[in-house]
Amino acid sequence: MLIKRSPNGIELPFSSEITSREVYESRRSFMKQIAAGAIGSAALLEMANREAFAQGVNPKLAAKLNPSYSALDKQTPYKDATSYNNYYEFGTDKSEPAMYANTLKTRPWTVTIEGEVKKPMTLDIDALLKLAPLEERVYRLRCVEGWSMVIPWIGYSFSEIIKKVEPTGNAKYVEFVTLADKKQMPGVGSRVLQWPYTEGLRIDEANHPLALLTLGMYGETLANQNGAPVRMVLPWKYGFKSAKSIVKIRFVKEQPRTSWNLSAPNEYGFYSNVNPEVDHPRWSQASERRIGEDGFLARKRKTLMFNGYADVAPLYAGMDLKKFF
Ligand code: MTE
């Protein structure tokens, strides 16, 4: 992944620590124009939406905390979780998704589920919200770049989808295909990755109760920059496995190609389980820094095997995790 470094090799400060000039300017001009009575109602609504977006106010989403799947770690402040993001469809800089993802239209939205299933279906976002009881789960998410966050996500186990569509005996893998629309996503014009961003899991991984089909965070629907309206969160894997803004889910026979694996196969494997003993070719994975809590030059936490989610270990029994990284 592209890590931004200063010329002396030190990582640059978090964008979340710098007030976005664009947000600041747009707020000032919004207030001035309202005061001058210069804005019509449609424009007012549009600007109010942008203002709400800048402040991270999304519709509320009720969910019951699932304590058995929740980490007790201190939660990452909302401001950090929504301003330090990887979402290359909106730019490669960590601050860009928060600045540009307001162009993403998250309604209407459908997810098509197809391939090796007895009951293929297309579900809209309201159907997905009602498919199973929503749970809040506080998960650690560890990025392959060496930072982590602790976020109260809202959703339900992906196994609920699997039950509903009834995979055939040929379904060995699940492929997640995400939106790639140049009109809404300025980064899709770039060649940094092959679009659409795709990810995949073995079907038994997808069926593990920890694999979360995610529709919200912090008591609200997902912020656009975090992958609204629907994404995966796989807390035992590096963050790039958790595809954002999913439009298609395919049950397939063969292991699917995935965007990061296509771009650098020796750096980003299909499994990408968090593993402090298997270094990335360009950096160590033994430690990490917690966004919003540790100082930006610190790298002091020890990274845990499977990011601390030891429940998943049986999925990989007998596998050489250095080979299947
Ligand atoms: N999904 C899409 N569609 N596009 C992306 O660029 N980035 C991935 C993952 N999902 C990405 C994506 C990476 S590298 C990480 S670390 C996580 O999203 C970041 O999720 P967050 O911004 O909610 O912390």
Side-chain angles (χ1 to χ4, degrees):
M1 239 150 266
L2 309 167
I3 289 194
K4 204 172 169 189
R5 290 180 193 276
S6 70
N8 61 8
I10 295 170
E11 280 183 41
L12 295 172
F14 298 148
S15 43
S16 58
E17 287 165 1
I18 304 162
T19 308
S20 152
R21 188 177 180 88
E22 192 188 89
V23 167
Y24 171 72
E25 300 271 356
S26 86
R27 275 186 202 153
R28 280 197 65 177
S29 99
F30 178 51
M31 298 316 286
K32 269 195 198 155
Q33 290 181 68
I34 287 181
I39 304 177
S41 59
L44 193 65
L45 186 65
E46 151 99 40
M47 292 193 82
N49 283 341
R50 289 188 55 170
E51 175 70 0
F53 179 82
Q55 290 182 348
V57 182
N58 292 297
K60 294 264 172 282
L61 194 59
K64 203 169 158 219
L65 178 75
N66 181 335
S68 34
Y69 285 120
S70 287
L72 297 174
D73 309 36
K74 188 168 162 234
Q75 292 177 20
T76 303
Y78 182 88
K79 169 179 81 65
D80 293 305
T82 54
S83 59
Y84 190 79
N85 301 100
N86 274 331
Y87 197 168
Y88 278 24
E89 288 85 334
F90 293 101
T92 56
D93 192 280
K94 303 277 181 281
S95 62
E96 286 179 313
M99 286 195 278
Y100 304 124
N102 60 331
T103 54
L104 179 66
K105 202 167 165 258
T106 57
R107 265 176 195 267
W109 189 282
T110 56
V111 178
T112 300
I113 311 171
E114 59 182 33
E116 292 292 345
V117 289
K118 291 187 197 125
K119 295 184 177 163
M121 56 185 76
T122 295
L123 299 169
D124 69 13
I125 210 65
D126 293 312
L128 281 169
L129 282 163
K130 279 187 247 142
L131 191 128
L134 294 175
E135 290 178 9
E136 180 173 72
R137 300 187 186 178
V138 184
Y139 278 170
R140 291 181 290 271
L141 192 61
R142 164 67 155 80
C143 180
V144 73
E145 294 164 325
W147 47 270
S148 59
M149 298 203 197
V150 184
I151 295 180
W153 300 105
I154 297 172
Y156 44 79
S157 295
F158 183 76
S159 59
E160 299 286 351
I161 299 274
I162 299 184
K163 257 195 271 168
K164 188 133 178 112
V165 297
E166 299 179 24
T168 70
N170 288 329
K172 304 284 184 244
Y173 295 88
V174 184
E175 182 183 28
F176 299 92
V177 183
T178 74
L179 184 73
D181 179 0
K182 272 191 195 166
K183 282 187 257 130
Q184 303 181 56
M185 303 170 133
V188 170
S190 91
R191 298 221 191 140
V192 62
L193 283 175
Q194 280 190 30
W195 311 108
Y197 189 103
T198 40
E199 257 310 331
L201 294 171
R202 230 172 42 198
I203 194 151
D204 57 340
E205 299 181 296
N207 223 350
H208 193 281
L210 275 169
L212 192 71
L213 186 93
T214 305
L215 297 142
M217 61 195 290
Y218 297 89
E220 299 178 353
T221 58
L222 284 170
N224 286 9
Q225 61 268 44
N226 293 88
V230 55
R231 68 175 291 175
M232 289 301 289
V233 179
L234 305 158
W236 73 99
K237 292 183 177 285
Y238 291 120
F240 69 89
K241 296 293 296 178
S242 295
K244 295 177 167 181
S245 308
I246 295 167
V247 289
K248 200 170 274 190
I249 299 172
R250 290 199 191 108
F251 287 75
V252 292
K253 284 186 207 165
E254 310 287 341
Q255 183 175 302
R257 294 306 305 264
T258 59
S259 289
W260 277 105
N261 183 254
L262 278 166
S263 108
N266 61 326
E267 299 189 18
Y268 309 108
F270 177 78
Y271 286 93
S272 284
N273 293 315
V274 176
N275 189 339
E277 281 156 32
V278 178
D279 288 338
H280 184 277
R282 291 185 280 135
W283 57 82
S284 159
Q285 293 293 28
S287 65
E288 67 201 58
R289 55 200 165 85
R290 196 53 62 82
I291 301 289
E293 188 177 314
D294 303 337
F296 75 79
L297 292 178
R299 207 180 149 92
K300 49 179 132 153
R301 272 166 198 273
K302 276 195 171 171
T303 290
L304 303 172
M305 186 64 203
F306 299 123
N307 202 19
Y309 296 91
D311 277 11
V312 299
L315 292 171
Y316 310 105
M319 278 175 73
D320 176 354
L321 297 181
K322 283 200 166 68
K323 187 168 165 214
F324 297 100
F325 62 90

